[in-house]
Amino acid sequence: MRVDYTTLAKTIRSLTEGETDEIALMATLACEIHHSDERFDWTGFYRVTEPELLKIGPYQGGHGCLTIPFSRGVCGAAARTRAVQLVADVDSFPGHIACASSTRSELVLPVFNAAGEVIAVLDIDSDQPAAFTQADADALESILAEVFAR
């Protein structure tokens, strides 16, 4: 099954309406996004908990890395550069952190609050190579902005 982003956005909108707690929002999004598409093998948030450091937040799937410095991996690159990381082959990404040996491709999006600060990254891993498209990134960016940057 492939995600229908229009339906996913509508579902997330209805589930998160009025909620302001970031952890509750992240838990809800991780669950809804993860179960929306068979390509999504691991879906979760790494939260900015101190300068230049991400710690695991709500997620769906197997265990993730507990901490990731901004200086390492795909998640660190997304937080450091404030830009989406669309990685077709994780083995070709310099400094990739293999939290799960089954990961073949990855999509990581920075999560901004209303003040424009990076508060987390949304990490989606797939056990399929080149699983993600720019359309996935664009749709998820829109959902994240609606939920966290309002």
Side-chain angles (χ1 to χ4, degrees):
M1 109 189 110
R2 286 283 175 133
V3 61
D4 173 346
Y5 283 111
T6 302
T7 301
L8 179 63
K10 184 178 178 181
T11 301
I12 288 172
R13 194 174 299 118
S14 72
L15 290 170
T16 61
E17 184 178 351
E19 182 56 64
T20 58
D21 182 85
E22 290 175 352
I23 302 298
L25 292 168
M26 289 178 191
T28 301
L29 267 70
C31 180
E32 289 301 316
I33 293 167
H34 185 74
H35 294 287
S36 71
D37 195 306
E38 63 195 7
R39 296 173 296 163
F40 302 168
D41 191 52
W42 193 95
T43 308
F45 290 87
Y46 284 95
R47 301 173 301 115
V48 178
T49 58
E50 57 188 85
E52 307 292 311
L53 185 69
L54 298 165
K55 283 198 179 180
I56 198 161
Y59 68 91
Q60 299 278 312
H63 292 286
C65 297
L66 295 181
T67 61
I68 299 176
F70 278 27
S71 61
R72 297 200 53 223
V74 181
C75 290
R80 183 177 67 254
T81 65
R82 303 170 53 90
V84 172
Q85 303 294 306
L86 183 58
V87 181
D89 175 9
V90 295
D91 292 331
S92 68
F93 189 92
H96 173 256
I97 301 169
C99 295
S101 61
S102 61
T103 301
R104 295 288 164 253
S105 58
E106 195 166 354
L107 173 59
V108 182
L109 303 100
V111 179
F112 301 98
N113 65 12
E117 302 162 326
V118 175
I119 59 168
V121 298
L122 171 62
D123 180 17
I124 305 175
D125 297 350
S126 181
D127 56 7
Q128 305 168 27
F132 307 107
T133 66
Q134 187 61 48
D136 292 314
D138 294 344
L140 290 164
E141 244 182 337
S142 178
I143 288 169
L144 290 171
E146 183 176 342
V147 171
F148 293 100
R150 48 183 157 162

